[in-house]
């Protein structure tokens, strides 16, 4: 090893879940490191150009998600355009675009994420790739191996958080996981002289391939590999080239009136691996009471559907000293459509960071944490935990 560092909490993955986890841990006074394999923070929301911060409300005027999730939606607008719809709290059966959500500039959001993490004292390591995870004889994760321009080194921590989106830490440590189908798609920023734009004048999102609901004429993908990532990126850009070729050939546009401004710098997979947890969120469990709930999230696709998220979905079955956050928590089926998006990433990230900090302070692993004590901490931070807490 070329280097070795020690932390109390180590977060792998600098997307929204990882940012929220690192913030919560650092603000709780824990020595925290955030490791990100690219040089940009925000994950799919920024590097992946999926620049819609989906709703924090239920579509009937009731806000259900608070905390760092709400802090981040406001930060997404700090250095760039975008607005939260006025009157969202007076709507009934509101479509997604009229709820408590926004469209933001990915680059502007990145600037705000850098700032808030540095202000919190998080040690940020960019361009750092996770290579391995080492567990002891009791299946407790003690060390991860990473590589960057300094060489290969060890990161030791009392507690780890896998916010990678793919469950890479958990998988390297030997945890079991579930997978589901991914659909080829590409989101890209483009200039269109003849379109008013949804981000700024003439700047719009191009979305090719499958729809948000999985309808596609293209090949589906399951699981992940180096070859699958390469093919996904190359085939997605092929869809985009065809889009421009057809527009130019028809005379509808030319290369000066319609062109790409920014391409995604990471694969826009919706679902990769969900780490099997002590509890698993499943299809049709909206409006279900979980005694261990650590927060609420709304279904972004339809008004009136709200989900409680049980703590066990963040706690891997087999590996101690590890929590998950974001789209790799334990959820399957239609529930994964709810847990893979920004609000749930931020919520579960904050909870994971809070739980990790509490576990370190008590000298235990997260699977031993008293859930009632965690819930009390979250309530004091303004978290509604159950549907009845927001009058639903």
């Amino acid at each position: 090893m070329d280097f070795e560092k020690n932390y109390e909490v180590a977060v792998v993955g600098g997307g929204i879940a990882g940012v929220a986890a690192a913030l919560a841990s650092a603000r709780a006074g824990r020595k925290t490191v955030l490791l990100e394999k690219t040089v940009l923070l925000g994950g799919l929301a920024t590097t992946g150009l999926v620049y819609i911060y989906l709703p924090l409300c239920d579509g009937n005027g009731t806000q259900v998600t608070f905390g760092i999730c709400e802090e981040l939606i406001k930060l997404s607008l700090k250095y760039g355009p975008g607005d939260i719809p006025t009157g969202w709290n007076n709507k009934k059966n509101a479509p997604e675009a009229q709820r408590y959500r926004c469209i933001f500039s990915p680059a502007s959001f990145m600037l705000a994420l850098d700032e808030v993490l540095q202000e919190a004292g998080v040690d940020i390591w960019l361009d750092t790739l996770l290579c391995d995870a080492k567990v002891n004889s009791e299946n407790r994760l003690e060390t991860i191996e990473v590589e960057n321009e300094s060489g290969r080194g060890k990161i030791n921590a009392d507690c780890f958080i896998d916010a990678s989106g793919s469950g890479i830490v958990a998988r390297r440590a030997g945890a079991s996981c579930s997978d589901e189908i991914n659909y080829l798609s590409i989101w890209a920023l483009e200039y269109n002289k003849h379109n008013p734009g949804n981000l700024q004048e003439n700047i719009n999102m191009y979305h090719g391939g499958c729809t948000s609901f999985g309808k596609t004429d293209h090949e589906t993908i399951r699981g992940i590999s180096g070859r699958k990532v390469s093919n996904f990126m190359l085939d997605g850009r092929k869809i985009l080239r065809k889009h421009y070729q057809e527009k130019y050939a028809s005379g509808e546009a030319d290369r000066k009136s319609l062109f790409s401004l920014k391409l995604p710098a990471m694969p826009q997979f919706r679902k990769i691996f969900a780490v099997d947890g002590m509890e698993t969120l499943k299809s049709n469990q909206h409006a279900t009471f979980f005694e261990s709930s650590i927060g609420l999230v709304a279904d972004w696709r339809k008004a009136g559907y709200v989900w409680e998220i049980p703590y066990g979905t963040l706690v891997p079955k087999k590996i101690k000293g590890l929590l998950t956050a974001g789209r790799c928590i334990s959820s399957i089926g239609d529930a994964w459509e709810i847990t893979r998006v920004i609000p749930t990433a931020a919520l579960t990230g904050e909870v994971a960071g809070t739980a990790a900090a509490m576990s370190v302070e008590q000298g235990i692993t997260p699977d031993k944490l008293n859930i009632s004590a965690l819930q009390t901490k979250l309530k004091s931070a303004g978290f509604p935990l159950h549907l009845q807490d927001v009058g639903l």
Side-chain angles (χ1 to χ4, degrees):
M1 295 292 126
D2 299 297
F3 58 86
E4 184 171 357
K5 299 288 184 179
N6 298 306
Y7 294 90
E8 291 179 298
V9 177
V11 183
V12 176
I16 298 302
V19 168
L23 282 174
S25 172
R27 288 172 175 173
R30 304 277 70 88
K31 184 181 179 183
T32 305
V33 63
L34 177 61
L35 304 151
E36 166 55 35
K37 66 181 179 180
T38 73
V39 295
L40 302 168
L41 296 173
L44 275 175
T46 56
T47 309
L49 302 183
V50 185
Y51 60 95
I52 301 177
Y53 207 119
L54 288 168
L56 280 63
C57 71
D58 68 347
N60 291 320
T62 300
Q63 183 177 346
V64 299
T65 312
F66 295 80
I68 289 175
C69 182
E70 186 171 22
E71 178 183 359
L72 293 182
I73 194 173
K74 294 175 180 178
L75 284 178
S76 75
L77 305 176
K78 184 174 182 178
Y79 294 111
D83 295 290
I84 295 167
T86 58
W88 63 266
N89 53 337
N90 295 317
K91 302 284 186 180
K92 296 296 181 184
N93 295 313
E96 180 251 307
Q98 294 178 20
R99 293 163 66 179
Y100 187 0
R101 51 81 89 178
C102 72
I103 290 175
F104 56 86
S105 161
S108 300
F109 197 9
M110 292 177 199
L111 296 177
L113 294 177
D114 286 351
E115 182 179 44
V116 72
L117 286 164
Q118 290 173 316
E119 288 176 348
V122 176
D123 192 6
I124 305 168
W125 290 33
L126 302 176
D127 194 31
T128 299
L129 182 68
L130 179 96
C131 299
D132 205 357
K134 303 293 186 181
V135 298
N136 64 19
S137 59
E138 297 179 347
N139 269 352
R140 176 168 182 168
L141 180 59
E142 294 184 327
T143 300
I144 57 174
E145 293 181 8
V146 300
E147 191 159 323
N148 57 26
E149 292 293 348
S150 297
R152 180 168 294 209
K154 294 170 65 176
I155 303 292
N156 306 313
D158 298 315
C159 189
F160 295 84
I161 298 173
D162 188 338
S164 65
S166 66
I168 185 66
V169 181
R171 289 189 289 126
R172 291 288 186 268
S176 58
C177 300
S178 301
D179 66 6
E180 285 193 12
I181 289 173
N182 271 297
Y183 300 90
L184 178 63
S185 65
I186 181 169
W187 292 39
L189 278 177
E190 71 175 11
Y191 173 85
N192 187 339
K193 183 179 179 180
H194 306 294
N195 189 313
N198 66 354
L199 178 61
Q200 193 66 301
E201 185 176 359
N202 303 128
I203 300 177
N204 201 24
M205 176 193 294
Y206 169 78
H207 183 203
C210 84
T211 68
S212 297
F213 303 101
K215 297 177 182 178
T216 182
D217 295 326
H218 301 279
E219 182 182 1
T220 58
I221 306 105
R222 193 159 199 143
I224 194 171
S225 69
R227 185 70 266 164
K228 288 177 181 178
V229 170
S230 297
N231 287 347
F232 189 93
M233 298 299 287
L234 292 169
D235 291 345
R237 295 200 285 264
K238 184 177 180 180
I239 290 173
L240 190 56
R241 285 199 306 274
K242 182 179 179 182
H243 162 66
Y244 292 123
Q245 290 164 358
E246 291 176 348
K247 293 292 185 182
Y248 298 164
S250 69
E252 186 177 338
D254 59 31
R255 63 183 179 85
K256 294 183 179 181
S257 63
L258 178 68
F259 54 87
S260 288
L261 291 173
K262 175 69 176 174
L263 301 181
M266 65 180 290
Q268 297 161 319
F269 290 124
R270 288 169 166 80
K271 309 169 185 177
I272 303 177
F273 286 107
V275 180
D276 294 337
M278 301 300 291
E279 297 175 271
T280 298
L281 199 62
K282 302 174 182 178
S283 300
N284 301 316
Q285 287 188 319
H286 63 276
T288 299
F289 175 86
F290 291 99
E291 186 174 351
S292 64
S293 176
I294 43 77
L296 304 175
V297 292
D299 191 325
W300 53 276
R301 302 164 301 177
K302 48 194 173 184
Y305 286 69
V306 179
W307 298 65
E308 296 189 5
I309 307 295
Y311 175 64
T313 60
L314 280 62
V315 184
K317 278 184 178 178
K318 296 182 179 180
I319 308 301
K320 299 178 181 179
L322 175 66
L323 288 160
T324 60
R327 57 197 170 102
C328 62
I329 70 169
S330 188
S331 58
I332 59 174
D334 192 59
W336 206 344
E337 297 295 333
I338 308 304
T339 60
R340 69 176 177 82
V341 296
I342 292 177
T344 314
L347 171 78
T348 56
E350 181 173 2
V351 173
T354 302
M358 292 176 66
S359 298
V360 170
E361 183 178 11
Q362 297 174 30
I364 59 176
T365 52
D367 58 301
K368 301 298 185 183
L369 186 64
N370 183 290
I371 298 174
S372 294
L374 172 62
Q375 291 173 320
T376 298
K377 177 79 73 172
L378 295 172
K379 285 180 182 178
S380 69
F383 270 56
L385 303 179
H386 300 289
L387 296 168
Q388 64 189 30
D389 295 342
V390 291
L392 298 178

